[in-house]
């Protein structure tokens, strides 16, 4: 099997598992207990907190462990909205192609009386700082823009966005779930007030993540219960998960640059190869994208069928048209960069990992053109395009 869907989730690293094992077995003490056996768990959590903090350039007391990226996004946005509303500031700025953990939280806030400006991401999948400047109002309490997009991999001008927000007194949150592990993330140099991380996107375990919240930026708790995480996140800590996440981050620190170089080489080979298929288009900026992300659209086919046929060839990829819960709506990300519905439906996302090889890439480059031809030959739409009854939308 060739697994190239690393934006969906990644394999747990061996080192992370090894470091987690004691906390899944003999070291099961509750970190809140006063006896030494409980304090062992407490110590493990605090060591992990220091690792996470140093990784993103924060202080340990600015790190809150959560159940993952979704919870971190929810808490950051709901908290900034809550404190904004207290000052009668009920305007939020975001972008059109955020993850649903952000977008659905914003939709809920809109129903509760907040106003949200969704910045355009343009054809290249990147927000424009000039447009952010224009969107900021007296009553803007929060700007939330993702660091790197999970579907098309485009990287946003985070440092510049943070700078503008800081000048104008707006809290800046970024969903950095896809960025961590691939590119540099530093809350100090990049002017970030709040940031979300998820362990399972960089070879840590599922169900654990981080919310960074800068000192002096108020943070509200949304769970009633114990006093864990300095009263900001109640519930007995996921000790093994937290330890595993820190272990995975330590590996990122050592390997990231080499891994990024290798993946960029494979990525570019894939892009060049796939674009040789006629009537095919790359989605998102060619260079300002994550080292492991390839996202292309093929005219005249259904992404879903493509995924299933590639699965038969042992290739795990994702379709750009995240047809979640059986809905036929194509991906909001692909629509946001201006793709017509039919084209968005014929999309393919390949997200690599450091363990992928040239052989993997060459196998993919052999199989995808075969499957695309096969599907096109069966498609009535493709026939109309070829007969000139309809016009091609991709050159
Ligand atoms: C995966 C992902 C999330 C959600 O993280 P979970 O830990 O799975 O809840 C949020 N944002 C982005 C950009 C993601 O890719």
């Amino acid at each position: 099997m060739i697994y190239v869907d690393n934006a969906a989730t990644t394999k747990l690293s061996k080192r992370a598992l090894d470091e987690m094992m004691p906390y899944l077995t003999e070291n099961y003490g509750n970190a809140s207990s006063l006896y030494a056996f409980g304090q062992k768990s407490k110590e493990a959590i605090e060591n992990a907190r220091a690792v996470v903090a140093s990784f993103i350039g924060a202080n340990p007391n600015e790190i809150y462990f959560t159940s993952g990226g979704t919870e971190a996004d929810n808490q950051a946005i709901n908290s900034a909205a809550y404190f904004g509303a207290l000052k009668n500031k009920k305007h939020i700025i975001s972008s059109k192609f955020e993850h649903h953990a952000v977008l659905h939280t914003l939709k809920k806030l809109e129903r509760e009386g907040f106003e949200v400006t969704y910045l355009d991401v343009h054809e290249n999948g990147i927000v424009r700082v000039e447009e952010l400047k224009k969107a900021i109002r007296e009553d803007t309490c929060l700007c939330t823009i993702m660091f790197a997009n999970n579907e098309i991999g485009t990287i946003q001008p985070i440092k510049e966005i943070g700078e503008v927000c800081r000048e104008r007194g707006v809290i800046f949150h970024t969903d950095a779930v896809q960025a961590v592990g691939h590119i540099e993330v530093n809350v100090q140099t990049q002017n970030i007030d709040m940031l979300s991380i998820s362990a399972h996107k960089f070879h840590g375990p599922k169900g654990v993540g981080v919310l960074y919240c800068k000192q002096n930026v108020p943070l509200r708790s949304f769970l009633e219960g114990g006093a864990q995480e300095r009263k900001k996140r109640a519930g007995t800590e996921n000790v093994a998960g937290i330890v595993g996440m820190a272990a995975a981050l330590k590996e990122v620190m050592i390997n990231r640059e080499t891994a990024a170089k290798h993946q960029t080489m494979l990525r570019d080979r894939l892009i060049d190869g796939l674009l040789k298929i006629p009537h095919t288009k790359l989605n998102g900026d060619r260079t300002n994208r994550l080292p492991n992300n390839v996202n292309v659209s093929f005219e005249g086919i259904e992404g879903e069928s493509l995924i299933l046929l590639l699965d038969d060839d042992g290739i795990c990829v994702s379709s750009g048209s995240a047809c979640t819960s059986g809905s036929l709506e194509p991906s909001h990300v692909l629509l946001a960069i201006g793709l017509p519905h039919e084209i968005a439906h014929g999309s393919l996302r390949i997200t690599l990992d450091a363990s992928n090889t040239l052989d993997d890439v060459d196998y993919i480059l052999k199989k995808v053109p075969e499957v695309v031809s096969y599907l096109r030959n069966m498609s009535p739409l493709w026939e109309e395009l070829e007969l000139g009854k309809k016009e091609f939308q991709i050159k």
Side-chain angles (χ1 to χ4, degrees):
M1 183 185 83
I2 297 180
Y3 182 84
V4 280
D5 196 17
N6 288 281
T9 196
T10 60
K11 182 180 180 179
L12 181 67
S13 91
K14 175 76 171 60
R15 174 170 171 184
L17 177 66
D18 288 346
E19 292 200 25
M20 289 167 76
M21 273 317 262
Y23 298 94
L24 293 165
T25 52
E26 63 268 23
N27 294 348
Y28 54 83
N30 189 315
S32 300
S33 304
L34 293 179
Y35 41 78
F37 183 54
Q39 288 306 299
K40 235 184 198 175
S41 295
K42 173 82 183 154
E43 244 169 67
I45 292 172
E46 295 318 313
N47 287 338
R49 198 185 308 282
V51 170
V52 174
S54 95
F55 184 86
I56 60 168
N59 288 319
N61 64 1
E62 296 172 316
I63 302 298
Y64 302 88
F65 292 117
T66 67
S67 66
T70 300
E71 186 188 329
D73 284 343
N74 273 254
Q75 187 172 5
I77 295 166
N78 282 319
S79 175
Y82 172 83
F83 289 107
L86 292 182
K87 292 193 245 167
N88 230 357
K89 289 172 136 191
K90 298 182 79 171
H91 176 241
I92 298 172
I93 299 171
S94 187
S95 83
K96 290 183 179 166
F97 74 168
E98 296 297 309
H99 189 272
H100 283 139
V102 168
L103 280 185
H104 291 171
T105 304
L106 294 173
K107 291 287 167 218
K108 181 214 68 168
L109 289 170
E110 283 183 281
R111 290 194 295 275
E112 292 173 355
F114 285 82
E115 206 182 316
V116 182
T117 301
Y118 298 93
L119 296 178
D120 211 335
V121 292
H122 305 277
E123 201 196 329
N124 64 353
I126 299 172
V127 299
R128 296 187 185 156
V129 177
E130 280 311 308
E131 294 179 1
L132 164 68
K133 280 186 190 163
K134 286 189 196 128
I136 296 179
R137 315 192 314 208
E138 281 298 303
D139 63 341
T140 306
C141 61
L142 168 71
C143 171
T144 172
I145 308 266
M146 70 199 314
F147 209 121
N149 184 269
N150 48 302
E151 286 188 42
I152 58 174
T154 52
I155 301 165
Q156 307 305 307
I158 291 302
K159 183 175 178 218
E160 292 76 17
I161 293 171
E163 208 171 293
V164 169
C165 288
R166 201 150 285 177
E167 270 168 22
R168 306 285 297 273
V170 173
I171 289 177
F172 174 43
H173 166 254
T174 185
D175 174 338
V177 171
Q178 291 290 337
V180 170
H182 295 293
I183 52 177
E184 177 163 346
V185 174
N186 186 300
V187 296
Q188 272 177 54
T189 59
Q190 293 164 337
N191 310 309
I192 298 163
D193 296 320
M194 296 172 116
L195 170 137
S196 308
I197 296 179
S198 172
H200 75 98
K201 301 289 174 72
F202 53 85
H203 302 283
K206 292 171 181 60
V208 62
V210 166
L211 171 58
Y212 152 79
C213 183
K214 191 177 161 66
Q215 222 156 10
N216 299 328
V217 169
L219 181 64
R220 184 166 153 82
S221 156
F222 293 95
L223 290 176
E224 308 308 323
Q228 291 91 352
E229 296 300 289
R230 306 180 302 292
K231 297 193 182 163
K232 301 301 183 195
R233 205 286 187 175
T236 302
E237 301 88 344
N238 175 2
V239 185
I242 290 167
V243 167
M245 172 163 57
L249 272 185
K250 283 188 261 179
E251 287 188 305
V252 169
M253 289 186 207
I254 299 165
N255 302 327
R256 182 174 64 83
E257 281 183 37
T258 330
K261 259 196 203 127
H262 174 66
Q263 292 175 78
T264 303
M265 184 268 292
L266 298 180
R267 177 197 75 185
D268 292 342
R269 187 182 178 93
L270 270 173
I271 292 176
D272 290 337
L274 292 172
L275 288 180
K276 287 194 184 126
I277 300 173
H279 307 286
T280 300
K281 161 182 197 308
L282 176 71
N283 295 316
D285 197 85
R286 165 94 205 210
T287 49
N288 198 2
R289 69 193 299 135
L290 292 174
N292 73 332
N293 178 290
V294 177
N295 189 310
V296 288
S297 296
F298 307 104
E299 182 138 22
I301 65 161
E302 279 291 331
E304 308 280 286
S305 332
L306 183 62
I307 303 315
L308 296 176
L309 287 174
L310 288 174
D311 188 22
D312 291 342
D313 289 325
I315 302 173
C316 300
V317 285
S318 156
S319 105
S321 56
C323 280
T324 38
S325 66
S327 100
L328 285 175
E329 268 303 291
S331 139
H332 68 287
V333 174
L334 298 176
L335 296 183
I337 58 167
L339 291 195
H341 278 234
E342 321 81 88
I343 303 296
H345 271 303
S347 303
L348 171 69
R349 178 186 73 183
I350 298 173
T351 43
L352 301 156
D353 169 66
S355 69
N356 288 124
T357 62
L358 266 177
D359 282 349
D360 293 348
V361 164
D362 290 340
Y363 181 71
I364 295 168
L365 285 177
K366 178 172 176 290
K367 287 297 168 187
V368 175
E370 285 175 16
V371 173
V372 169
S373 291
Y374 172 79
L375 288 171
R376 280 176 171 173
N377 286 334
M378 296 200 320
S379 151
L381 171 63
W382 183 255
E383 199 181 342
E384 286 181 23
L385 289 164
E386 284 220 303
L387 292 172
K389 290 184 186 164
K390 265 196 169 167
E391 232 174 278
F392 282 106
Q393 303 197 64
I394 303 177
K395 52 145 184 58

